[in-house]
Amino acid sequence: MAIERTFSIIKPDAVAKNLIGPVTTKLEEAGLRVVASRMTKLTQVEAQQFYAVHSERPFYHDLVKFMTEGPVVVQVLEGENAVKKNREIMGATNPADAADGTIRKAFAESIERNAVHGSDSPENAKIEIGFFFSSAELATLTR
């Protein structure tokens, strides 16, 4: 299998509850390696741009408001089938439907405040990584 990269956000609800370490531990225990990570606070414009794909959805404005209410941790994760693996360890968007042992089952409050975001495809991972990390930052991350 090829090593790939994916993008992850530890959302404001999880950061506020001091869950950065436990969330990252679950990712690492699943076989993913954090190759870039930083805390940031999204501006309204950044959140609107990042989630523009959902701009016509009824939850868009609440999502933007939520994602700007406090700091987030943005991460680049690396591993075999990283996108799929990250999505599996995150669990279902609705924590009530998430499998035991997943991040959302353990840490999410609700479908709206669900602790983490992860890329849904390798193509979107590249776009999302590029949104938050420069090519210069990532160039030094080769093995």
Side-chain angles (χ1 to χ4, degrees), residues 52-123:
V53 67
H54 298 302
S55 64
E56 300 301 318
R57 308 284 296 268
F59 60 82
Y60 174 72
H61 295 291
D62 289 338
L63 176 61
V64 168
K65 183 178 178 190
F66 165 56
M67 291 301 294
T68 59
E69 76 180 25
V72 299
V73 174
V74 293
Q75 298 180 316
V76 179
L77 308 173
E78 186 177 81
E80 287 188 20
N81 294 313
V83 172
K84 181 180 179 195
K85 191 172 286 186
N86 185 41
R87 305 243 355 131
E88 288 171 357
I89 194 60
M90 284 191 321
T93 304
N94 184 345
D97 299 330
D100 289 341
T102 62
I103 292 168
R104 288 179 173 148
K105 187 66 161 189
F107 305 126
E109 296 174 24
S110 66
I111 194 169
E112 293 86 14
R113 302 176 74 77
N114 60 12
V116 289
H117 163 91
S119 302
D120 62 3
S121 69
E123 298 76 25

Side-chain angles (χ1 to χ4, degrees), residues 12-27:
D13 56 323
V15 172
K17 291 192 264 180
N18 202 30
L19 295 172
I20 298 166
V23 168
T24 302
T25 296
K26 282 194 171 286
L27 295 168

